[in-house]
Amino acid sequence: MKRLIVIWCCCLSLTTTAQQLPVLCYHNITTAGQHKNDLLHIDRDQFDRQLKTLSDSGYHTILPDEMVALMAQHKPFPPRACIITFDDSHDVHYSVAAPLLQHYHFKGVFFVMTVTLNKPHYLSVANVKALSDEGHVVASHTWDHPFPAGYKDWNKELVTPRQQLEKITGRPVWYFAYPFGAYNDSIIMHVKQAGYKAAFQLNRLPVAGKELYTLRRLMVDGRWSGAQLLHEMALYGTQ
């Protein structure tokens, strides 16, 4: 009996460590007259179809606080749970994505780069505040989206954006997404020092011993049908 318990606990830990919870990553959403579907763009109607497939298939969203708590406790993720994230602060995240999420009773995580706030075609301060007030998570995506070699001022890229977003939302900002999904040991160290609880990359497996700061996400291709998205999510959980 003891041996069975040990094996079960090890398997549970590995399941959590491997982060089999699908975390979806979207970027730009195109609307009427701009139809485009690729790795960085998804048409509004295509996005709607993907969300509908998730909803019809019984998926529901959780937010990073729950994910991180379950990982810390080595507990399994809820069945048919996922996280839906958005990068790069596009204004359509508020005007298009948020209403569709609400329609399907989903919540999202919006990674905001603060250099673009209030600029044309990007989220405004009011948009960011509204997203937070509507129950979505506002998180940091640096000040100006640098490549790994571009972190010249850690405070400017990591600390000030967090403080600015906290001032806008009135809520703590605990989560971070690496621009381009790129990171190294130095960046991870500074992200920790800046006070973030966890950080998200893109398609690679989490790094052993640094799981919370190398959380993986699945970049969603705008060309995928809902069925293809489900297929990719199923593969994601086994790799």
Side-chain angles (χ1 to χ4, degrees):
M1 179 62 71
K2 289 182 179 179
R3 183 170 180 270
L4 289 175
I5 291 174
V6 169
I7 291 173
W8 180 83
C9 289
C10 289
C11 290
L12 183 57
S13 177
L14 287 171
T15 297
T16 307
T17 301
Q19 193 212 314
Q20 295 187 357
L21 176 76
V23 182
L24 309 181
C25 178
Y26 290 93
H27 287 78
N28 209 350
I29 301 170
T30 59
T31 54
Q34 302 176 320
H35 301 291
K36 184 176 183 180
N37 289 304
D38 57 25
L39 198 57
L40 294 176
H41 302 82
I42 186 166
D43 177 80
R44 185 257 181 216
D45 293 337
Q46 179 77 337
F47 180 57
D48 188 3
R49 286 189 287 270
Q50 289 187 355
L51 292 183
K52 184 177 188 302
T53 299
L54 291 175
S55 179
D56 290 348
S57 301
Y59 276 91
H60 65 281
T61 53
I62 65 172
L63 295 176
D65 278 350
E66 183 175 355
M67 176 189 189
V68 168
L70 290 171
M71 291 182 70
Q73 299 167 40
H74 299 288
K75 291 184 178 179
F77 300 118
R80 295 193 179 276
C82 66
I83 294 179
I84 302 176
T85 72
F86 301 85
D87 283 9
D88 297 350
S89 314
H90 299 288
D91 58 356
V92 287
H93 293 167
Y94 176 74
S95 61
V96 178
L100 286 172
L101 292 174
Q102 182 178 5
H103 177 75
Y104 293 105
H105 307 289
F106 293 152
K107 297 298 182 185
V109 182
F110 294 84
F111 290 105
V112 177
M113 50 185 184
T114 51
V115 71
T116 62
L117 286 171
N118 292 326
K119 292 185 177 179
H121 309 300
Y122 290 94
L123 293 172
S124 67
V125 166
N127 294 157
V128 171
K129 179 68 164 66
L131 287 169
S132 179
D133 288 347
E134 291 165 10
H136 303 290
V137 171
V138 170
S140 176
H141 201 34
T142 71
W143 177 65
D144 64 349
H145 208 277
F147 285 102
Y151 289 84
K152 304 300 183 184
D153 185 333
W154 295 105
N155 191 70
K156 183 177 182 179
E157 295 293 352
L158 301 178
V159 178
T160 301
R162 182 181 174 212
Q163 294 172 341
Q164 185 175 0
L165 293 172
E166 289 179 336
K167 184 176 181 179
I168 292 169
T169 64
R171 293 176 172 85
V173 171
W174 296 123
Y175 303 104
F176 179 81
Y178 302 105
F180 310 101
Y183 61 90
N184 55 40
D185 287 342
S186 176
I187 295 172
I188 291 175
M189 178 187 70
H190 283 93
V191 167
K192 289 181 180 179
Q193 291 176 349
Y196 295 98
K197 288 183 177 180
F200 293 78
Q201 42 130 346
L202 288 173
N203 290 326
R204 288 177 288 177
L205 283 170
V207 176
K210 301 175 182 177
E211 289 87 355
L212 286 178
Y213 291 90
T214 56
L215 295 169
R216 64 175 172 170
R217 295 186 290 165
L218 174 65
M219 282 190 67
V220 179
D221 196 312
R223 291 164 291 196
W224 291 347
S225 64
Q228 181 67 25
L229 174 59
L230 293 180
H231 175 72
E232 297 294 336
M233 291 168 69
L235 292 177
Y236 174 99
T238 61
Q239 296 172 343

